[in-house]
Amino acid sequence: MRFDSVKSPTGWAYAAAVWLAVSFVWHLQMGIMYRNAMGPGSTGPVWAFLAYDGLITGMSIAGVVCVLAAVKPWGRRIPPRLARWPLWFGCALLALRGVPGLVENITVATGVTPYGLLGMEKESVDTGSWEFRKSMVINSYFFLGAATLIPATALSARRVRVARSAPQRV
């Protein structure tokens, strides 16, 4: 398999599908091992955690189907709106979750905002702590999701528009 261009949605779609599959597996294991995932100091109800985790797990599977439907031949049988709207919603969620978190991590790590992006921390954030490094990995992961899903969605939408405007062969 060869990807001829960065402007081709296929490679981006496969990358986004892999990201979503990893998200699915991660949240599935969190649902199974919910006591560990919630942590010992959790005060929230288990049902709320499981409902949230189940929602994310379902969204991950739906995302895999939608992003592959945008580039695979079998996806042409699905109305474009049925795949595109969930993809754009996922793009917005990932961008809103990944970009600000990673920007904050970077600005804290570089010392630009040592008390957090909004300056709301009481003490300077310890950039060598496990908590900071964990948040950096998680925020980078969400940013990577946005960085793969947004081009996949935008390029596949453009491909559909171009295909519709092209003259039909008889």
Side-chain angles (χ1 to χ4, degrees):
M1 187 175 313
R2 190 172 151 232
F3 304 113
D4 291 328
S5 170
V6 174
K7 294 181 181 181
S8 168
T10 308
W12 291 109
Y14 288 147
V18 168
W19 186 93
L20 287 158
V22 170
S23 175
F24 169 78
V25 171
W26 181 257
H27 282 279
L28 184 65
Q29 71 85 23
M30 281 177 62
I32 292 168
M33 299 166 42
Y34 65 91
R35 293 199 193 282
N36 289 342
M38 289 180 69
S42 176
T43 58
V46 172
W47 68 266
F49 176 81
L50 291 175
Y52 167 77
D53 195 58
L55 175 67
I56 301 300
T57 305
M59 288 171 63
S60 297
I61 281 296
V64 169
V65 172
C66 288
V67 77
L68 291 178
V71 296
K72 299 301 257 174
W74 56 264
R76 292 186 192 125
R77 292 182 287 218
I78 298 171
R81 233 179 269 142
L82 198 58
R84 295 288 182 278
W85 284 106
L87 288 176
W88 283 117
F89 181 71
C91 289
L93 283 178
L94 288 172
L96 287 172
R97 172 60 180 88
V99 174
L102 190 58
V103 167
E104 179 172 34
N105 286 143
I106 291 169
T107 59
V108 167
T110 58
V112 174
T113 59
Y115 294 94
L117 193 58
L118 300 176
M120 298 177 71
E121 296 292 328
K122 292 179 180 158
E123 297 178 6
S124 178
V125 177
D126 179 12
T127 57
S129 72
W130 166 247
E131 286 301 315
F132 180 78
R133 290 174 190 225
K134 184 171 79 171
S135 76
M136 186 79 140
V137 168
I138 291 169
N139 288 328
S140 297
Y141 181 70
F142 279 104
F143 182 83
L144 180 63
T148 58
L149 189 60
I150 291 170
T153 303
L155 291 170
S156 64
R158 183 181 308 154
R159 185 168 77 172
V160 168
R161 281 193 306 273
V162 169
R164 284 186 183 163
S165 66
Q168 301 294 322
R169 293 184 181 188
V170 185

